[in-house]
Amino acid sequence: MCPAGNAYGYEENSMTEVAFLTQSAQSLDITQGHFMTVFNVILLIYGAYSVYAANKMQKTGEPMQWLLSNEELLRARKPNAFCNYMSPKTRIFGILCILYGFFGIITDFWLHLGKLEMIVLAAFVIAIVWFFITLKKAKKKYV
């Protein structure tokens, strides 16, 4: 008598486990792809809102709340100067977010560019760091 109880049971259970693990791995890949697509869509929306916020700040001279906390908004010494300084930079960052979001969606579904994807990701991370350093300097100078 074999360990599984019959000659076919042991092999059948092993094949079922392998099929289950393979299916689980494939569904994990699909989930990962969907996560990145959702992330890219959120990035597109964030970029569009950044461009909108930059235009509004430039027009009104009032900082947007997502750039400054409520406390910072209340104690801003030079809100108009802050807006003049941050509007173009926020617009550039928003456009970069939109471009990277589109790039991510394209590479998720149609093109797989390997090393170029990593280079573009590194450039986008540098853009994020640049924007937040710029925002921190603006807060220090105008708030």
Side-chain angles (χ1 to χ4, degrees), residues 93 119-133:
F93 185 65
I119 292 168
V120 172
L121 174 63
F124 185 64
V125 168
I126 290 169
I128 292 170
V129 171
W130 164 78
F131 182 73
F132 283 102
I133 288 172

Side-chain angles (χ1 to χ4, degrees), residues 36-49:
M36 289 311 294
T37 302
V38 169
F39 174 76
N40 290 322
V41 169
I42 290 170
L43 201 53
L44 280 169
I45 294 167
Y46 179 82
Y49 185 75

Side-chain angles (χ1 to χ4, degrees), residues 11-25:
E11 285 184 34
E12 197 173 297
N13 287 341
S14 294
M15 292 306 286
T16 304
E17 289 173 16
V18 169
F20 173 75
L21 291 174
T22 303
Q23 185 178 10
S24 296

Side-chain angles (χ1 to χ4, degrees), residues 30-89:
I30 290 169
T31 304
Q32 182 70 17
H34 287 308
F35 172 76
M36 289 311 294
T37 302
V38 169
F39 174 76
N40 290 322
V41 169
I42 290 170
L43 201 53
L44 280 169
I45 294 167
Y46 179 82
Y49 185 75
S50 294
V51 171
Y52 163 78
N55 292 338
K56 187 173 179 181
M57 284 192 311
Q58 190 171 25
K59 201 177 275 187
T60 65
E62 297 176 19
M64 296 293 287
Q65 189 172 358
W66 67 275
L67 285 177
L68 299 175
S69 69
N70 283 334
E71 180 184 308
E72 290 170 329
L73 281 171
L74 292 174
R75 65 182 168 94
R77 296 180 311 231
K78 302 176 186 175
N80 198 26
F82 176 86
C83 291
N84 289 335
Y85 181 77
M86 283 305 297
S87 290
K89 292 156 181 64

